[in-house]
Amino acid sequence: MIDLRSDTVTRPTEAMRAAMAAAEVGDDVYGEDPTVRALEERVAGLFGHQAALFTPTGSLANVLAVAAVVAPGQEVLCEARAHIARAELGAHGAVSGLTMRTWSHPRGQVDLAVVDELFAPDLGPYFVRTAALSVENTHNFAGGAVVPLADLQALRAYADERAVAVHLDGARIWNAHVATGTPLADYGAVADVLAVCLSKGLGAPAGSLVLGSADQVAEARVRRKRLGAGMRQVGILAAAGLHALDHHVERLADDHAHARLLAEACGADPAAVDTNIVTFDRSDAPVFVARAREAGVLIGAVGARTIRLVTHLDVSRDDAERAAKVLASL
Ligand SMILES: Cc1ncc(COP(=O)(O)O)c(C=O)c1O
């Protein structure tokens, strides 16, 4: 089977497993796991932030990052198909007590004119107040679309003028970095808080990080423990992340090339494929998914009509070519 359902299906390579087995560990709740600390320091440094916190999942990293800048009863604005709005099962409301309003863009982009219509300044004890603007880069449900740095910088300037925060869901920021050549520090500079994942394109079995100021991350550490996600000898997982940073970032360009090849085979526009995700609509989506499975290719539907293909570390050039043939024949 060639599995194109998600870039989260990868299995650790032998070299990654060796790095995990050799990891020096300690009790991270006591702050004594040297491998976790090394990972946190390295990732904070890459994005030019003061501090970082390791979390088991990207969803938790987003919950902690947003809660660092939005208090209960305040709101965050984001795009309508953002992961924080659609796929974290209401955690930001249920756990952090905040509300959300959304703007829509077919490619998950920032539309400052619409953001401005939504934006709610502090009008006293009558209205919910906007405390943060959130953006996802790359945007998962918008087909792995990159949000251009210039647009992020404009959002940053807009937020600064209104003294509100910017949250960046950078689960796949590595893909945006490789696709555009934008330095990670430039992405770090546009956001007060970020969530980044090691378990998507980078191929680690688990692990994400929250980035922000030393104070924000210290508070996120308290909240992480409160939610039961303080982990002990978790350097074993952090070692997988460090290995991924050393070996799996630049190769994301291969995933992007494979995605364009698959798009072409499916009649989608390869020029619209920014990174490792291809989405296209078919009225017979469930049947198409079932027939692909029978032919040895696992793909997913992310809506009644929308098909999604995702390339990753465990899809070789040969796999991509074989899958392209199967999908073209269907
Ligand atoms: C854009 C984005 N943010 C956050 C997450 C959450 O990551 P996790 O599945 O580790 O909770 C995902 C998961 O696919 C994602 O695509």
Side-chain angles (χ1 to χ4, degrees):
M1 281 294 198
I2 300 168
D3 196 342
L4 300 173
R5 290 170 303 165
S6 171
D7 49 10
T8 57
V9 301
T10 55
R11 295 186 174 88
T13 60
E14 283 307 317
M16 183 179 276
R17 285 171 193 262
M20 295 169 76
E24 209 184 317
V25 296
D27 189 330
D28 183 52
V29 174
Y30 288 120
E32 289 174 3
D33 189 305
T35 311
V36 172
R37 289 170 70 153
L39 176 71
E40 290 174 343
E41 277 168 29
R42 178 162 171 193
V43 176
L46 286 174
F47 289 88
H49 275 240
Q50 280 179 349
L53 178 75
F54 191 60
T55 62
T57 66
S59 298
L60 183 59
N62 272 333
V63 167
L64 297 177
V66 175
V69 291
V70 185
Q74 298 180 340
E75 72 177 2
V76 57
L77 304 181
C78 63
E79 202 278 328
R81 284 175 300 164
H83 199 275
I84 65 166
R86 283 211 51 211
E88 290 170 13
L89 306 183
H92 299 267
V95 176
S96 307
L98 53 92
T99 63
M100 268 178 203
R101 282 184 303 143
T102 59
W103 73 87
S104 287
H105 189 288
R107 301 267 301 153
Q109 301 293 306
V110 180
D111 184 339
L112 266 189
V114 184
V115 171
D116 193 46
E117 277 169 28
L118 290 173
F119 185 84
D122 186 356
L123 293 174
Y126 311 104
F127 294 101
V128 174
R129 170 191 153 200
T130 305
L133 312 171
S134 175
V135 64
E136 186 173 310
N137 192 21
T138 65
H139 194 302
N140 180 353
F141 297 126
V146 170
V147 182
L149 181 65
D151 292 1
L152 296 171
Q153 287 168 334
L155 183 74
R156 167 82 270 165
Y158 179 91
D160 282 345
E161 278 163 25
R162 286 151 190 84
V164 297
V166 173
H167 161 253
L168 173 57
D169 178 352
R172 295 183 181 78
I173 196 74
W174 323 101
N175 297 82
H177 160 65
V178 169
T180 62
T182 304
L184 293 172
D186 287 6
Y187 287 132
V190 298
D192 297 275
V193 285
L194 292 90
V196 302
C197 292
L198 305 165
S199 58
K200 313 275 176 329
L202 296 196
S208 293
L209 294 109
V210 182
L211 295 118
S213 69
D215 286 350
Q216 285 165 333
V217 169
E219 183 57 28
R221 194 175 291 279
V222 173
R223 291 201 173 104
R224 182 187 70 174
K225 183 72 169 68
R226 186 175 294 136
L227 293 171
M231 298 172 288
R232 303 293 177 175
Q233 286 70 25
V234 74
I236 287 187
L237 289 177
L242 286 166
H243 178 86
L245 289 173
D246 287 336
H247 301 285
H248 296 169
V249 176
E250 297 311 323
R251 64 150 304 285
L252 291 170
D254 297 341
D255 296 347
H256 302 169
H258 298 161
R260 286 192 293 273
L261 188 144
L262 288 163
E264 210 159 15
C266 296
D269 178 7
V273 176
D274 288 349
T275 56
N276 68 327
I277 302 179
V278 182
T279 52
F280 55 91
D281 283 347
R282 282 187 66 111
S283 54
D284 64 344
V287 176
F288 189 77
V289 170
R291 288 178 62 202
R293 174 185 273 272
E294 280 162 23
V297 181
L298 292 175
I299 59 176
V302 288
R305 288 161 198 274
T306 308
I307 306 274
R308 188 182 71 162
L309 319 175
V310 189
T311 55
H312 52 76
L313 187 60
D314 289 356
V315 176
S316 65
R317 181 79 192 180
D318 184 49
D319 292 335
E321 282 171 1
R322 281 194 294 130
K325 268 195 199 122
V326 167
L327 296 174
S329 75
L330 293 179

